[in-house]
Amino acid sequence: EDDTTPAFIDMSSAVEVTVSPEEDVEPMEDDDEDDEELPTEAQDTTVEAPKEDVSKCTMSTHTDAIYAITSHYDPASSSFTIVSGGGDDTAYIHTLSSSYIPTSTKLSHAHTDSVSAVALNAPYVGNAGGGKVSPKLIGVGSYDGAIVLYNQETGEKVQVLEGPSDVECLCFHPKGGTVLLA
């Protein structure tokens, strides 16, 4: 008979075994002889070569993981804007000029939970007609239910919207200025 052929049992072949409390049954002991000793970190002698940092700039602002990030390049001012939010309950706006020197500003709202969503309306903002230009806004959403709008140019808080539950996604409508939640 072939050993690779699977064998199936049916319910009539099942046997129930009961152990009476009077019997002193000890649990099976582990067989330590077959266990191979795994190397510990102290025994690991491999040395990893240092990695070369080829980044143009580094921004070390957050003290915990980053959960949300967005960016926009403005060709008129030759500046690159990055907004980040993270597990440290904070959001930052980072601006890079053509010299790759970042300026980072902590956004002022004191969130009570992780920042989970960030958005910029700058890609959608243009002349609203009649010579009036729509403001460039930053939207920041958090697991505390708050959505905070900031002026992208100044970093000043424009409005706070308090919601009943976590904010997991945030974006601006392509027509500019309208906040959508999902």
Side-chain angles (χ1 to χ4, degrees), residues 1-178:
E1 193 173 311
D2 187 11
D3 285 342
T4 60
T5 305
F8 299 98
I9 62 169
D10 58 8
M11 287 306 293
S12 64
S13 301
V15 177
E16 184 176 335
V17 176
T18 57
V19 177
S20 64
E22 299 89 43
E23 295 180 34
D24 191 18
V25 179
E26 293 185 29
M28 295 178 57
E29 292 185 25
D30 289 337
D31 187 9
D32 292 335
E33 295 173 13
D34 293 338
D35 293 343
E36 292 182 26
E37 195 168 313
L38 299 174
T40 62
E41 286 183 30
Q43 294 173 335
D44 190 8
T45 59
T46 59
V47 176
E48 190 173 310
K51 304 280 188 226
E52 180 183 359
D53 184 0
V54 295
S55 61
K56 296 281 186 182
C57 71
T58 302
M59 294 164 276
S60 302
T61 50
H62 288 280
T63 58
D64 201 346
I66 295 173
Y67 296 146
I69 192 163
T70 190
S71 63
H72 175 68
Y73 177 72
D74 182 10
S77 64
S78 297
S79 65
F80 189 63
T81 302
I82 301 169
V83 179
S84 61
D88 55 2
D89 306 346
T90 59
Y92 289 88
I93 180 169
H94 314 277
T95 305
L96 289 165
S97 62
S98 58
S99 62
Y100 299 109
I101 298 172
T103 57
S104 299
T105 304
K106 181 178 178 179
L107 297 175
S108 63
H109 188 77
H111 290 281
T112 58
D113 206 343
S114 299
V115 173
S116 54
V118 293
L120 290 166
N121 76 343
Y124 314 118
V125 173
N127 192 327
K132 184 177 180 184
V133 177
S134 297
K136 291 182 180 178
L137 298 173
I138 300 169
V140 176
S142 173
Y143 286 139
D144 63 9
I147 298 173
V148 185
L149 299 176
Y150 296 92
N151 180 310
Q152 180 181 328
E153 306 294 327
T154 64
E156 291 178 22
K157 194 183 311 182
V158 174
Q159 187 172 6
V160 178
L161 306 168
E162 293 291 339
S165 63
D166 300 351
V167 177
E168 295 182 9
C169 181
L170 175 69
C171 65
F172 286 94
H173 192 277
K175 296 288 182 179
T178 303

